[in-house]
Amino acid sequence: MTTECSQEPFPFHPLNQREIRGQFDGGSITSDAGGLLLREVEKRTNIIGQFASCFRDYRDPELVEHGVAELLAQRIYGLALGYEDLNDHEELRRDPLLAVLVEKEDLTGEQRRLVRDQGTALAGKSTLNRMELGAAKLGEKERYKKIILDEAAVDRMLVDIFLQAHDEAPKEIVLDLDSTDIPLHGKQEERFFHGYYGHYCYLPLYIVCGELVLCARLRPSNIDGAKGSVAEVERIVEQIRQAWPQVRIILRGDSGFCRDELLSWCEAHGVDYVVGLAQNARLLREIVAASAQAESQFQQTGKAARVFTEFVYQTRNSWSRARRVIAKAEHLEKGANPRYVVTSLSAQETTFPAPSRWGAKSLYEELYCARGDMENRLKEQMMLFADRTSTSWLRSNQIRLYCSTVAYQLMQALRRLGLAGTELAQAQCHTVRLKLLKIGAQIRITVRKIWVSMSTGYPYLDLFRQVYRNLEVIPLR
């Protein structure tokens, strides 16, 4: 961030005969010059712009100094650059580089209406907080919370961003469902203790395809982990099929989503699924022979042994029909480790010239186990501070979750468009931030130009140059 001019010296221990003296007199300095690359990504994707279109601003235009798009850009760029709290913006509002990212005309804030605000181009924490605390609809006598979010529009926008990321319709996509915990440390609305996680938390539902988030729904934790998943999947599938009528959709999730309501919906709407299935005594009896074979192989080799088998299975009460179940009878040094998945995919399906595409072994190891990458997506949400749900209300915490999700979409677009073919093509968000965005620079503003003089000692100049060139050839939106 910027530093204010001060002539107070800070003498440090000398180096041999040389005096070392520090002073805060370097002028406008930023630590986030790499954020200019994020601005180039936004110019080519309009991700923040699409998010801003989901809000309605009922403030008096004559009194507004920070538009909704500017407020959201300030918040989202801040998250991407590592500033998790609104309090951070009391200092960030003075940073001319962030003002450039936000598209402020008055980069130094010298033309602000109030004298107390002059010298600060951007919004402070209170203004940003009022945006996040917006109500579901405008009250008749509301004085402050006049920026209203249409949550349904944001949900559609997340799917739109996914569709826009593809030049042409794929033949097949896999939607991953998962939930995670967001620990709570205050008295937030809908705060409950969760026995599995061992603390008070929210239980958000995420739906992801590849690296793109299609749903981020904040939920209380006193519910079944699959609650609401049918409604979310239904709207997402409908929107995707409007754009790609012929695409094949496969739903993937752990055993927490093995609910007849979800499986039956998939079967009725032509969506395939592969979902984990929790073991029970009946399932264990089905794989006695396979388990004995795996144990025998382990005894002979001393190495982990896997034997795959499959059978048709129906629960006594909870399922409406019998379904294909794949079982992995595995024996490790610690003992048996059986696993099960239920699927609508047929072992007879072939992809020429391959024989069986969805045989028991390939379906489990190549398709189901690939859902482990979903864990990386959840980790990256936390790298963009999705866990900062510290307001008192569930709705405002949902808005914060949306902001973090949009910040992630922007970072993912940087990775997809700018980092393709580089050493950071698969890097997670915190690595991209550290190596590519955190660049020290001096800012000089003239009538015709904004000079961003980045550190000569920046160690990833070749990487920066390649990312810039990758983005340069992509048309603006």
Side-chain angles (χ1 to χ4, degrees):
M1 67 178 66
T2 56
T3 59
E4 294 184 358
C5 225
S6 173
Q7 298 304 317
E8 177 186 1
F10 294 90
F12 293 96
H13 192 79
L15 174 63
N16 297 326
Q17 302 302 314
R18 294 181 177 178
E19 179 182 351
I20 300 177
R21 181 174 294 269
Q23 288 186 185
F24 286 90
D25 59 355
S28 295
I29 305 291
T30 184
S31 60
D32 303 308
L36 290 169
L37 294 174
L38 287 177
R39 180 172 178 266
E40 292 301 308
V41 171
E42 170 62 15
K43 291 290 186 182
R44 287 154 176 82
T45 61
N46 193 35
I47 289 173
I48 299 176
Q50 292 179 74
F51 185 39
S53 69
C54 302
F55 289 77
R56 294 293 176 266
D57 189 354
Y58 295 97
R59 297 175 295 171
D60 185 345
E62 294 185 0
L63 301 178
V64 171
E65 291 188 286
H66 309 290
V68 171
E70 294 172 337
L71 293 173
L72 289 170
Q74 180 179 342
R75 183 70 165 120
I76 290 165
Y77 282 124
L79 291 168
L81 293 168
Y83 302 103
E84 56 190 293
D85 288 322
L86 293 181
N87 290 341
D88 297 325
H89 289 269
E90 283 301 289
E91 296 301 324
L92 287 171
R93 64 194 301 212
R94 297 181 173 86
D95 189 340
L97 190 282
L98 185 56
V100 170
L101 304 187
V102 173
E103 306 283 338
K104 278 292 186 181
E105 187 69 27
D106 179 16
L107 295 176
T108 58
E110 298 302 323
Q111 301 172 19
R112 295 288 300 275
R113 186 176 67 251
L114 298 179
V115 174
R116 70 185 184 189
D117 292 329
Q118 291 175 2
T120 57
L122 299 172
K125 61 182 180 181
S126 297
T127 303
L128 293 169
N129 190 49
R130 283 193 292 273
M131 177 188 68
E132 292 186 352
L133 295 181
K137 60 181 180 179
L138 185 67
E140 292 183 3
K141 298 182 179 180
E142 180 59 60
R143 293 184 59 191
Y144 301 110
K145 301 172 185 177
K146 294 187 176 183
I147 299 175
I148 307 301
L149 172 65
D150 181 350
E151 290 191 21
V154 181
D155 295 336
R156 291 190 298 270
M157 177 214 69
L158 292 177
V159 181
D160 284 337
I161 291 173
F162 165 74
L163 296 171
Q164 293 160 11
H166 295 77
D167 295 328
E168 58 183 26
K171 294 181 179 180
E172 179 179 285
I173 61 173
V174 178
L175 301 181
D176 281 304
L177 285 75
D178 208 349
S179 59
T180 188
D181 65 312
I182 292 181
L184 300 176
H185 306 288
K187 299 294 182 180
Q188 287 93 330
E189 181 183 21
E190 299 287 348
R191 166 184 178 268
F192 295 99
F193 186 87
H194 196 287
Y196 176 80
Y197 293 110
H199 51 235
Y200 288 91
C201 62
Y202 285 139
L203 196 69
L205 170 68
Y206 281 97
I207 300 179
V208 171
C209 185
E211 293 186 356
L212 288 155
V213 176
L214 286 74
C215 171
R217 177 73 62 227
L218 197 63
R219 307 175 300 173
S221 62
N222 64 333
I223 60 170
D224 175 49
K227 184 176 181 179
S229 58
V230 172
E232 301 293 353
V233 169
E234 183 173 12
R235 67 168 181 82
I236 289 171
V237 168
E238 180 182 2
Q239 190 173 347
I240 290 174
R241 283 182 169 165
Q242 286 176 355
W244 302 335
Q246 304 302 318
V247 68
R248 180 180 193 176
I249 301 175
I250 301 175
L251 203 67
R252 185 166 59 187
D254 63 20
S255 59
F257 294 92
C258 188
R259 303 291 184 267
D260 187 68
E261 180 187 12
L262 180 59
L263 304 185
S264 295
W265 183 91
C266 290
E267 291 159 351
H269 293 84
V271 174
D272 285 305
Y273 58 82
V274 53
V275 179
L277 176 61
Q279 65 173 286
N280 58 43
R282 286 180 60 205
L283 289 170
L284 289 173
R285 286 197 294 270
E286 292 281 356
I287 63 167
V288 170
S291 297
Q293 184 180 350
E295 183 177 7
S296 175
Q297 291 179 10
F298 175 81
Q299 297 298 337
Q300 294 174 13
T301 64
K303 298 179 181 179
R306 286 181 171 185
V307 176
F308 289 91
T309 187
E310 64 175 274
F311 48 90
V312 175
Y313 176 79
Q314 182 170 5
T315 64
R316 290 197 172 98
N317 299 308
S318 59
W319 285 5
S320 59
R321 53 172 291 180
R323 296 181 169 105
R324 180 190 181 202
V325 170
I326 306 298
K328 178 193 71 170
E330 183 177 49
H331 201 90
L332 309 172
E333 185 176 354
K334 64 180 181 181
N337 182 43
R339 291 289 187 271
Y340 304 86
V341 298
V342 58
T343 183
S344 63
L345 297 167
S346 171
Q348 279 68 50
E349 180 178 342
T350 60
T351 303
F352 186 82
S356 176
R357 186 185 181 198
W358 301 130
K361 186 175 187 295
S362 60
L363 185 142
Y364 185 89
E365 293 185 336
E366 297 174 21
L367 179 59
Y368 181 71
C369 288
R371 67 170 298 276
D373 191 53
M374 175 75 173
E375 298 297 325
N376 292 325
R377 304 289 78 78
L378 294 181
K379 290 176 183 176
E380 289 195 291
Q381 305 311 302
M382 303 310 151
M383 293 172 193
L384 276 303
F385 313 111
D387 57 341
R388 300 297 293 176
T389 52
S390 52
T391 78
S392 297
W393 298 277
L394 186 68
R395 176 177 172 80
S396 51
N397 284 322
Q398 175 68 69
I399 293 175
R400 287 193 169 187
L401 187 65
Y402 280 143
C403 287
S404 295
T405 302
V406 173
Y408 167 77
Q409 303 286 57
L410 191 65
M411 292 287 279
Q412 192 280 332
L414 173 61
R415 184 165 54 202
R416 173 170 51 87
L417 301 175
L419 289 167
T422 73
E423 63 193 75
L424 296 186
Q426 302 298 321
Q428 292 192 329
C429 289
H430 68 87
T431 302
V432 175
R433 178 192 296 145
L434 179 64
K435 293 189 174 183
L436 196 61
L437 305 183
K438 289 296 183 180
I439 306 174
Q442 183 185 57
I443 313 296
R444 291 174 292 145
I445 301 171
T446 66
V447 175
R448 296 183 179 276
K449 292 186 179 181
I450 301 169
W451 300 89
V452 183
S453 300
M454 288 178 266
S455 170
T456 308
Y458 174 61
Y460 304 105
L461 176 57
D462 290 341
L463 172 66
F464 188 96
R465 183 182 292 114
Q466 186 173 351
V467 173
Y468 177 83
R469 289 174 177 170
N470 287 347
L471 294 174
E472 190 178 26
V473 299
I474 300 174
L476 299 175
R477 289 196 61 177

